[in-house]
Each structure stands twice: as C-alpha cells, then as structure tokens.
Amino acid sequence: MNSATAQISTPRLTQNTAPSIYTIAQLTELVNGEILAGRKDDALSTLAQLQNATHKLETQIHNMKDKRHG
C-alpha cells in the first residue's frame, strides 16, 4: 500500500474508488483482447482510455488524502 492510500480507511477507499477500479479492470481486459486479436488501432484507443481512468483514480485518492488532512 502506498503512502497516499495508507492514510485513508479501507472501507472509505473501497467505496469511493470501486467504480474507477472496476473501469480499469474492464479496460485492461478489453485492451488485452484487442492486442491478442491484432487490433492495434483499437488497442491504442483503449490504452488511452485506460490511462485516463488510471489518472482519475490517482486524482481521487489524492483528493481523499487532502480532505483527510484539510
């Protein structure tokens, strides 16, 4: 667990970030299938979506940490 998540209670972290984590899991599965199927352009598009979803999750965790200390 990294320092940002270590300071947030597990139930709160899970409740607030579950939708983003689920989206990341779905996109990861999708991009893997696209890569295996040789659909390079689709995979690149999905990777961009995956990057955005990951950034959103990082921001959520950071904001939760800031609220706890604010």
Side-chain angles (χ1 to χ4, degrees), residues 17-28:
T17 60
S20 293
I21 293 169
Y22 182 73
T23 298
I24 289 169
Q26 286 183 311
L27 289 170
T28 300

Side-chain angles (χ1 to χ4, degrees), residues 7-35:
Q7 299 173 12
I8 303 167
S9 70
T10 301
R12 182 170 166 235
L13 177 67
T14 302
Q15 179 182 17
N16 291 340
T17 60
S20 293
I21 293 169
Y22 182 73
T23 298
I24 289 169
Q26 286 183 311
L27 289 170
T28 300
E29 187 174 335
L30 179 60
V31 77
N32 285 337
E34 291 168 343
I35 290 168

